[in-house]
Amino acid sequence: SADGDRNLSLDSIPMGLPMSDPAAWTTAMNNLGMAPMGMTGQPLLPDFDPALGMMTGIPPINPMMPGLGIVPPPIPPDMPAVKEIIHCKSCTLFPPNPHLPPPATRERPPGCKTVFVGGLPENGTEQIIMEVFEQCGEVIAIRKSKKNFCHIRFAEEFMVDKALYLSGYRIRLGSSTDKKDTGRLHVDFAQARDDLYEWECKQRMLAREERHRRRLEEERFRPPSPPPVVHYSDHECSVVAEKLKGKCFYDTKFLEAIQTLLTWIERGEVNRRTANNFYSMIQSANSHVRRLVNEKAAHEKEMEEAKEKFKLALSGILVQFEQIVAVYHSASKQKAWDHFTKAQRKNISVWCKQAEEIRNIHNDELMGIRREEEMEMSDEEIEDPSEMKETEESALVSQVEALKEENDSLRWQLDAYRNEVELLKQEQGKASRDEDTTKEQQMKLLQQALQGMQKHLLKVQDEYKKREAELEKVREDKLKIETLLENLKEQETSTSRVCACSQEKECPVEKTLSNSAVKSEREVLLVGIISTFLHVHPFGASIEYICSYLQRLDSKICTAEVEVLMTRLQNTFRQELSGVGASLEKRWKFCGFDGLKMT
C-alpha cells in the first residue's frame, strides 16, 4: 500500500563504505567533477583514470554490487552515513542530503521479504526497477502499479535491509531532466501474506523441533517403571511367605515380598479361603518390627559413642591449643622478646591472636555440647508427679484399648472358625463313609482349638475387668488427693487470717514491721541489692536472672526465698507479664519511687 506514515530506522545494515577507503572516496570525488585529493592535499591514487567513473557500463565500486559481499564496519552514531552516487545501465541514483533526517519507516512485520517502493518515475519500467534492486539480492516477483509505486519480493530477509538503504535516493533515467524521468525513491517494509505464511511455517517447524528435543530429554531423565507384581496363587503365596520369614532382613527379597503383599491386599485378594494365609504373612511382617526397634537403638548407641569420641577429641585439641598459646605468651615476655627481630615479633603476635581465636571457637563449641547435655539431663530429672499420674493413666488406657482390639480380633477368629466348622458339617453329610474318620478327627481338632480360644477369651475378659477396676481406683485416688489439696489450701488461708488477726491485737508495732515485710538484716541487704539491680534494668528482669546474679554473691540463696520476699514488698517491686502465648514471660520491676509517693 502507498501509506505515507512509514518509519525507517538507522539500525539497518549500513551499506556505504567508510571514508578511509581510497577507491570509494576517489570514485565519489571524480563523479562530482573534483580531483581526488586526500586530507593532506596530495592525490590519493596517482594512477587513477578519471574517465573510469563516467564510463557507461562500468559502475563505480559500490557495496550494493552483487558478488562483492563487502560488509562495512559500523558507523559511529555521531557520524552521519556517507552515501554515494550509484550508476546503473539505464539510470543514475543520487544520494540524499546527509544533513536531512532519515526517512521514516513502519514497524517491520515478522518474516518480511517484501518492500514497498514509492516515488518511481512515470516512465520507469519493470526492467529499470529490476536493474536497480537486483543489486540487493535475488528478486522473486515485482508487482508494479500505475501510480508510480510497486512491491518487490526478495528471496531472503536480509535483502530487505539492503533495499532500505536506497530510500531517499533521487533517480534519473539516462541523462534526461524531464519530470517524468525523475523521482525520489521511498522504500519501506510491506506486509505480505506469503511472507507471514512462510514465517509461521518456519516457527511451527522450530516449535516441533523444540518439542521433540524436550520429549527426548524427558524420556532420558524419566525413572524406569517398577517391575510388575505377579498375580495371587497358592504357589506365589508360599514363595512370598518364605521370603518374609527369611533371616536376612537386608536382602532385596524382603522388600519385594512386602511390596507384593501390599499390592495383593490393595487388589482385594483377601477372602474367606485365603484369610489365614494372609494373616500368617502379616504376622511374619510384624516380626520385623522388633528388629527395626533394635536397629534404631543400636544406631542411637553408636551416635552417643560418636558424640563421646568427638567430645574427647575436642578436649584434647583444646589442651594442645592451650599449650601452644602458653608458648606464645612465654615468648612474648621481655626475657625472650628482646632477642627477636621486628618481623619475628610481628609474626609471633599474629600467630598468637589466630591461635587464641581458634581456641575460643573450639571452647565455645565444647561448652555448647556440655550445656545441651545438662539441659537434657535436667529435663529428664524434673518431672511433675501430676504428669507421672497422667502418664500412668494414659498407659492404662492404652493397655485397655489394646486388650479391646485383641478381644475383637479373637472374636473375629472365633467367627471364622465357626464358619469353617459349619462348612465342614455340610460337607460331612455329602461325603462318603470312608472319609468319616478323617472328618471326625478334624472336628475334634477344631473343637479343641475352639475350647482353647474360649479359655483365652475368658482370660482376656478377666484381665480387662481387672484393668477397669484399677482405672476406677486410680480415678478415686486422684479425686481424694484433689479434695485433700483443696482442704489444705482452705486451712492455710484460715490459719493465715487467724495469725494476722492475733498479731494485730497483740502488737501494733509488729504489724507495721510485718507490713514492711522486712524481718531481718539479711532481707534488708537483699532488698537493697535487688533494688539496685532492677534500677539498672528499667525494663525488668525475670526471677531466674535476679537469682543468678544473687547466687554469685551468696550461693545459698534460693529462688523461692527471693520470690516470697519480693511478693511481700508490693510497694517496692511489681510483677508484670510480657509476651503472647508460648512466649509469655514474668518480669519484676522496681517501683519504689512510685510506692513512696503512694505511702
Side-chain angles (χ1 to χ4, degrees):
S1 64
D3 297 328
D5 32 297
R6 298 178 177 88
N7 302 329
L8 175 61
S9 67
L10 286 173
D11 296 338
S12 58
I13 301 173
M15 305 305 295
L17 286 173
M19 294 177 66
S20 60
D21 191 347
W25 180 251
T26 305
T27 304
M29 297 283 286
N30 185 58
N31 289 332
L32 293 172
M34 299 169 63
M37 303 295 289
M39 298 298 293
T40 58
Q42 298 184 9
L44 291 173
L45 296 177
D47 300 333
F48 183 76
D49 188 2
L52 285 176
M54 305 302 291
M55 288 177 62
T56 58
I58 304 177
I61 298 173
N62 191 282
M64 302 292 294
M65 294 177 66
L68 288 179
I70 300 173
V71 179
I75 300 173
D78 56 346
M79 180 178 176
V82 178
K83 295 186 177 182
E84 302 174 358
I85 299 174
I86 301 172
H87 295 278
C88 300
K89 292 181 181 180
S90 305
C91 62
T92 307
L93 300 176
F94 297 95
N97 189 354
H99 299 291
L100 292 176
T105 58
R106 62 181 294 178
E107 186 179 356
R108 182 168 188 158
C112 180
K113 296 181 183 178
T114 306
V115 294
F116 165 83
V117 182
L120 294 172
E122 293 185 9
N123 295 332
T125 60
E126 288 188 6
Q127 184 179 359
I128 295 172
I129 296 169
M130 178 67 77
E131 183 182 344
V132 172
F133 285 95
E134 69 181 356
Q135 303 176 33
C136 302
E138 183 183 354
V139 177
I140 295 176
I142 297 175
R143 295 190 296 273
K144 189 176 181 301
S145 176
K146 296 178 181 180
K147 295 184 178 181
N148 302 333
F149 70 88
C150 69
H151 289 85
I152 303 173
R153 190 163 189 263
F154 292 99
E156 298 295 337
E157 293 184 24
F158 69 90
M159 300 175 184
V160 174
D161 298 322
K162 293 184 177 181
L164 287 174
Y165 177 78
L166 300 175
S167 184
Y169 268 79
R170 289 182 292 107
I171 184 172
R172 187 176 68 187
L173 304 182
S175 58
S176 175
T177 57
D178 192 7
K179 286 186 179 181
K180 293 184 179 181
D181 294 333
T182 59
R184 185 180 294 275
L185 297 180
H186 177 71
V187 186
D188 196 358
F189 300 109
Q191 191 168 3
R193 285 178 292 180
D194 296 339
D195 297 344
L196 183 61
Y197 176 73
E198 288 182 3
W199 181 78
E200 289 177 349
C201 291
K202 187 177 179 181
Q203 295 299 317
R204 283 195 291 270
M205 183 183 68
L206 293 174
R208 283 195 299 271
E209 291 177 357
E210 181 67 19
R211 285 197 299 271
H212 180 65
R213 187 183 62 79
R214 288 183 181 176
R215 195 179 299 113
L216 291 178
E217 289 290 329
E218 290 175 359
E219 289 177 357
R220 189 160 63 90
F221 290 107
R222 184 180 297 152
S225 58
V229 180
V230 296
H231 291 282
Y232 177 82
S233 64
D234 294 335
H235 173 68
E236 294 293 337
C237 179
S238 62
V239 171
V240 171
E242 289 297 326
K243 289 181 180 178
L244 290 171
K245 291 176 182 177
K247 295 182 180 179
C248 185
F249 300 112
Y250 296 101
D251 195 359
T252 55
K253 292 182 180 179
F254 172 73
L255 296 175
E256 294 176 359
I258 200 73
Q259 186 63 34
T260 305
L261 176 61
L262 177 62
T263 307
W264 284 349
I265 293 173
E266 289 178 350
R267 284 179 183 173
E269 300 288 348
V270 183
N271 51 33
R272 186 177 293 177
R273 185 176 65 83
T274 61
N276 292 330
N277 296 332
F278 274 98
Y279 180 76
S280 63
M281 287 190 286
I282 293 168
Q283 193 173 6
S284 301
N286 186 41
S287 64
H288 293 262
V289 174
R290 187 178 298 173
R291 186 260 307 177
L292 294 172
V293 173
N294 293 334
E295 283 184 2
K296 183 187 175 186
H299 287 307
E300 288 178 351
K301 188 176 180 182
E302 290 177 0
M303 187 176 68
E304 293 295 331
E305 292 176 356
K307 281 184 179 179
E308 289 295 329
K309 288 180 181 178
F310 174 71
K311 194 165 66 173
L312 291 173
L314 194 60
S315 60
I317 290 168
L318 280 173
V319 170
Q320 295 177 16
F321 267 116
E322 290 289 345
Q323 293 174 356
I324 294 169
V325 171
V327 169
Y328 289 142
H329 285 306
S330 62
S332 300
K333 292 180 181 178
Q334 192 173 3
K335 290 181 181 179
W337 191 253
D338 294 338
H339 300 287
F340 294 120
T341 62
K342 288 185 178 180
Q344 291 173 348
R345 291 176 186 175
K346 186 176 180 181
N347 289 335
I348 290 170
S349 60
V350 169
W351 294 338
C352 184
K353 287 181 182 178
Q354 291 178 354
E356 286 179 350
E357 288 176 359
I358 297 170
R359 180 198 62 184
N360 293 333
I361 291 168
H362 287 291
N363 195 7
D364 293 340
E365 188 175 357
L366 184 61
M367 293 300 292
I369 293 170
R370 288 177 180 171
R371 284 196 208 95
E372 288 178 0
E373 291 179 354
E374 290 176 359
M375 291 291 290
E376 290 176 359
M377 293 294 292
S378 62
D379 291 339
E380 291 176 0
E381 289 174 357
I382 300 170
E383 290 183 355
D384 196 11
S386 61
E387 292 180 358
M388 291 287 291
K389 291 177 184 178
E390 290 178 359
T391 53
E392 289 178 0
E393 283 188 19
S394 62
L396 288 172
V397 171
S398 61
Q399 288 179 2
V400 170
E401 290 177 354
L403 287 171
K404 283 182 181 179
E405 291 177 357
E406 191 176 359
N407 191 7
D408 295 336
S409 65
L410 289 171
R411 284 177 183 173
W412 294 335
Q413 288 181 7
L414 271 176
D415 293 335
Y417 281 124
R418 285 172 183 169
N419 293 331
E420 289 182 1
V421 168
E422 289 176 0
L423 289 172
L424 287 171
K425 285 180 181 179
Q426 292 175 2
E427 290 175 1
Q428 189 178 6
K430 298 178 183 178
S432 61
R433 294 178 181 178
D434 296 332
E435 298 175 356
D436 288 340
T437 55
T438 57
K439 289 186 178 180
E440 285 177 0
Q441 291 177 357
Q442 290 178 357
M443 287 289 292
K444 288 179 181 178
L445 291 172
L446 286 171
Q447 286 176 358
Q448 290 176 0
L450 276 171
Q451 289 175 0
M453 294 296 292
Q454 288 175 355
K455 289 178 181 178
H456 188 62
L457 256 179
L458 291 172
K459 289 180 181 179
V460 170
Q461 288 177 355
D462 293 335
E463 288 180 2
Y464 178 71
K465 290 178 181 178
K466 289 178 182 179
R467 297 290 182 183
E468 284 184 345
E470 289 176 0
L471 258 179
E472 289 177 357
K473 287 180 180 180
V474 168
R475 288 171 182 168
E476 289 175 359
D477 293 339
K478 187 177 178 182
L479 290 172
K480 288 179 181 178
I481 289 168
E482 288 177 354
T483 52
L484 283 172
L485 283 172
E486 290 176 356
N487 293 330
L488 285 171
K489 288 179 181 178
E490 290 176 358
Q491 288 178 4
E492 285 178 359
T493 52
S494 62
T495 52
S496 62
R497 288 174 184 172
V498 170
C499 290
C501 293
S502 62
Q503 287 177 1
E504 287 177 0
K505 290 177 181 178
E506 289 176 1
C507 49
V509 177
E510 290 180 1
K511 181 179 177 182
T512 57
L513 290 174
S514 63
N515 288 333
S516 64
V518 179
K519 297 180 180 180
S520 63
E521 186 178 357
R522 185 171 183 272
E523 291 184 353
V524 171
L525 290 172
L526 283 176
V527 170
I529 294 167
I530 294 168
S531 302
T532 308
F533 181 78
L534 290 177
H535 185 63
V536 176
H537 296 79
F539 296 103
S542 62
I543 189 69
E544 290 82 6
Y545 188 24
I546 297 168
C547 290
S548 65
Y549 176 73
L550 293 174
Q551 284 173 358
R552 293 180 184 175
L553 305 174
D554 187 5
S555 60
K556 296 179 182 179
I557 295 172
C558 61
T559 308
E561 180 184 357
V562 176
E563 191 171 7
V564 169
L565 179 60
M566 293 175 73
T567 50
R568 280 186 289 171
L569 300 170
Q570 296 179 358
N571 293 327
T572 309
F573 305 108
R574 183 173 68 251
Q575 189 179 21
E576 293 183 355
L577 296 176
S578 62
V580 179
S583 62
L584 195 66
E585 186 180 6
K586 294 180 179 180
R587 288 178 175 269
W588 288 91
K589 290 186 177 181
F590 178 71
C591 60
F593 299 113
D594 299 334
L596 184 63
K597 294 176 183 179
M598 292 172 63
T599 55

